[in-house]
Amino acid sequence: MRINKIALAVMTTCMPITALYAAAMDRSGQSITPFLQPNNYFEAGISILDPTVEGKEADVSATRRDIEDMGNDYYFPSAAIKLQLTDNISFGLLYDQPFGADVAYSGNNIFVTDSSTTILDQKLLTGLIDQKFASLTAEQKVGLAIQGVKGADYLKTPAGQAEFAQTLQAYNNNATAKAQIDTGVKAGITQQVDATKAYLGKGQTSAKVDTENLSMIFGYQPIKNINIYAGGVYQTIDGSLHLRGQATSVYNGYDATFKKDSGVGWLAGFAYQIPEIALKASVTYRSEIDHKVTTHENVSSLPALVGLGQISQATADSIAGTQKKTDITTPQSVNIDLQSGIMKDTVAFANIRWVNWKNFAIQPYQFGAISKIVGQLPSVAQPNGFNLLKYSDDQWNATVGVGRKLSDQWAGNVSVGWDSGAGNPITALGPTEGYWNVGLGVQFSPTPQTFISGGVKYFWLGDAQGQIASQSGKKTYVADFTDNTAIAYGLKIGYRF
């Protein structure tokens, strides 16, 4: 029972789709196993995910409409090469796409703008109208009533001033005249509020995030059973975001483009093996990677906030005229990989992964500036503002399975996986709470040096309550996402030399 015949079969059949649909934005699982292969080794693979994430408006949402599938299909490639430079020194390059997101809402729901969409919930708008009306003095109401008919300049003329005095006397002494003026002024305020619809964004909420990693690793093997390794990691990140629909409130019309940025981190690990019994164990730590991403933001609803009296024109101009870089730190993680022979031609394997999503947050400048203003509203109650994206929990992920060599050319495996998710309620840009999955993999080796492997996994995605950004840290939410699933496919080729 030699590890290079059995364990290799297990790992290569299951690795194409190890994580793929995990908590938060975790995607590839950042496996180190290609670097731990014996001798010289090369592999290249592609993974494809087809999720179905549907829901229904709920909780604080005023309506209860269905939400169509918002999870887009996506794929990502991976590749690795490992060279045994000497008996004691190894070198590897690993390419993967560790984090990402691709979502787009559609249909008729609170994440899509339609003719009924308003900048705030209708109850809040009614409250603002009543508040604005109640703050007006009799003189102001009369002035507005006259301006509405004859214009603001008319009040500066002698005739206008005389009419103002006469109308004010009637307002204060005649109930009928007062009621007519009040009705007209309130209708004018309502018309101003309704005019804010013109500044709302068109279309649907969508988001896309892409990352790429290139890890350069050196390993030292003081004896055949031990491998101590470390290296640098080069990472790029870019993305885009469009917020639309009733749920996004004052951010309806917010667009952000995050230009590609690069950052550098590191990894380190330790592996132990006993080839005679196909035993291998490894622990790998990956550091955080900091990015300062050039960000272009546009908030079409800023004039609406001015019209509602929430900010001044000078404040709106200052926010719109300022573009700053966004700090994004991708999370640190730990992977633990285990495997052992359990009978002839059969091995058991397990993977445990921890990702520090609890410390992850994104707050672009303009988004954050508006959040500090909107956060003053009693209905929001976050006076210090809030983040565009924030997770409440760290992610834990585990996979266990069994692989078996079926013949000199064929091997297969079965596996079961579990993921904790990154909190619930959670952002509506990724509304699932972990998963359970089952997987099946198969490998064909036409020669002892080459192989082609494929796998499929079926996911039962965890039910989640989707929140908008201003609800982060609270129990309120806007939609329920239940009974969702995903299916993933992977294909990989490899060469041992």
Side-chain angles (χ1 to χ4, degrees):
M1 185 170 58
R2 304 292 297 178
I3 189 170
N4 62 342
K5 291 184 178 179
I6 302 174
L8 182 62
V10 174
M11 286 186 261
T12 53
T13 53
C14 69
M15 287 316 299
I17 47 172
T18 298
L20 202 59
Y21 202 94
M25 291 187 286
D26 201 30
R27 288 296 177 262
S28 72
Q30 298 183 295
S31 173
I32 202 72
T33 54
F35 179 72
L36 301 179
Q37 296 298 313
N39 302 318
N40 300 314
Y41 176 76
F42 168 80
E43 69 172 44
I46 187 170
S47 298
I48 302 170
L49 180 78
D50 180 10
T52 300
V53 184
E54 301 172 336
K56 190 178 184 67
E57 299 168 348
D59 200 36
V60 300
S61 296
T63 50
R64 292 294 184 267
R65 296 168 295 186
D66 290 333
I67 298 173
E68 297 178 9
D69 182 16
M70 50 77 70
N72 288 335
D73 300 352
Y74 66 87
Y75 74 94
F76 63 85
S78 63
I81 185 168
K82 180 257 180 172
L83 301 175
Q84 192 66 43
L85 303 179
T86 72
D87 290 342
N88 304 107
I89 303 294
S90 57
F91 170 77
L93 287 174
L94 276 62
Y95 170 82
D96 71 327
Q97 298 179 1
F99 311 114
D102 190 355
V103 300
Y105 284 88
S106 61
N108 182 24
N109 57 70
I110 52 173
F111 298 104
V112 180
T113 299
D114 59 29
S115 60
S116 66
T117 304
T118 54
I119 192 168
L120 292 172
D121 180 85
Q122 193 57 55
K123 290 181 179 179
L124 291 177
L125 289 178
T126 301
L128 287 175
I129 293 170
D130 292 341
Q131 182 181 358
K132 175 67 174 176
F133 179 78
S135 70
L136 298 174
T137 64
E139 289 79 5
Q140 289 172 321
K141 292 174 183 175
V142 169
L144 288 171
I146 296 174
Q147 288 179 30
V149 177
K150 299 184 177 181
D153 292 340
Y154 176 70
L155 288 175
K156 300 176 183 178
T157 66
Q161 293 174 4
E163 183 176 344
F164 175 81
Q166 183 180 2
T167 306
L168 180 61
Q169 183 179 10
Y171 183 87
N172 290 328
N173 296 287
N174 186 311
T176 300
K178 181 178 184 300
Q180 289 176 340
I181 291 173
D182 285 347
T183 299
V185 170
K186 199 165 190 178
I189 297 173
T190 301
Q191 188 175 13
Q192 289 180 340
V193 170
D194 289 342
T196 60
K197 285 186 175 183
Y199 301 107
L200 301 181
K202 309 300 181 186
Q204 64 279 338
T205 294
S206 63
K208 186 173 177 62
V209 177
D210 292 307
T211 63
E212 294 180 288
N213 266 21
L214 183 63
S215 303
M216 180 184 296
I217 312 171
F218 286 91
Y220 173 61
Q221 300 89 45
I223 59 175
K224 70 174 184 176
N225 305 100
I226 293 176
N227 192 346
I228 303 168
Y229 52 91
V233 181
Y234 176 81
Q235 183 181 87
T236 65
I237 186 170
D238 64 281
S240 62
L241 174 68
H242 309 282
L243 298 180
R244 301 292 187 270
Q246 186 69 55
T248 60
S249 186
V250 299
Y251 290 103
N252 187 345
Y254 176 84
D255 297 308
T257 300
F258 303 90
K259 294 186 177 180
K260 182 171 285 190
D261 179 78
S262 61
V264 177
W266 58 275
L267 65 82
F270 175 86
Y272 178 79
Q273 67 175 6
I274 303 177
E276 291 76 17
I277 60 172
L279 174 67
K280 181 179 286 187
S282 65
V283 178
T284 307
Y285 170 81
R286 288 180 177 266
S287 72
E288 295 179 340
I289 299 181
D290 295 327
H291 296 271
K292 283 190 173 294
V293 184
T294 299
T295 307
H296 183 268
E297 298 176 87
N298 180 65
V299 190
S300 68
S301 59
L302 274 175
L305 290 176
V306 176
L308 292 174
Q310 299 302 302
I311 59 174
S312 66
Q313 185 63 54
T315 299
D317 291 342
S318 175
I319 293 173
T322 304
Q323 300 284 347
K324 294 186 178 181
K325 292 187 175 183
T326 302
D327 292 328
I328 300 177
T329 299
T330 54
Q332 62 182 338
S333 64
V334 175
N335 279 27
I336 300 174
D337 292 287
L338 304 167
Q339 70 169 48
S340 178
I342 55 176
M343 64 177 67
K344 183 180 179 181
D345 293 341
T346 305
V347 297
F349 59 91
N351 168 267
I352 300 171
R353 175 169 167 80
W354 168 81
V355 187
N356 187 203
W357 287 111
K358 191 173 184 178
N359 292 341
F360 180 86
I362 300 177
Q363 188 187 85
Y365 170 75
Q366 291 187 13
F367 186 98
I370 295 172
S371 77
K372 292 177 177 64
I373 297 167
V374 176
Q376 307 296 324
L377 294 173
S379 59
V380 179
Q382 297 215 49
N384 296 321
F386 45 86
N387 295 301
L388 168 63
L389 187 61
K390 181 78 171 71
Y391 298 105
S392 61
D393 295 332
D394 289 341
Q395 168 200 356
W396 287 91
N397 175 288
T399 300
V400 296
V402 176
R404 182 168 177 81
K405 179 182 176 182
L406 305 175
S407 70
D408 288 340
Q409 291 185 310
W410 290 95
N413 75 68
V414 293
S415 64
V416 176
W418 169 83
D419 189 282
S420 67
N424 190 29
I426 194 169
T427 173
L429 297 176
T432 63
E433 186 186 18
Y435 61 72
W436 284 91
N437 72 39
V438 294
L440 178 65
V442 63
Q443 174 181 291
F444 173 67
S445 300
T447 71
Q449 290 76 37
T450 60
F451 71 85
I452 181 170
S453 64
V456 60
K457 282 189 176 182
Y458 188 83
F459 296 78
W460 292 270
L461 305 179
D463 296 346
Q465 298 163 337
Q467 292 183 319
I468 56 175
S470 61
Q471 294 174 320
S472 180
K474 303 178 181 179
K475 294 298 183 183
T476 56
Y477 55 97
V478 295
D480 263 328
F481 296 84
T482 59
D483 300 326
N484 289 307
T485 60
I487 188 166
Y489 314 89
L491 183 66
K492 183 160 61 179
I493 58 172
Y495 176 57
R496 299 183 286 275
F497 58 99

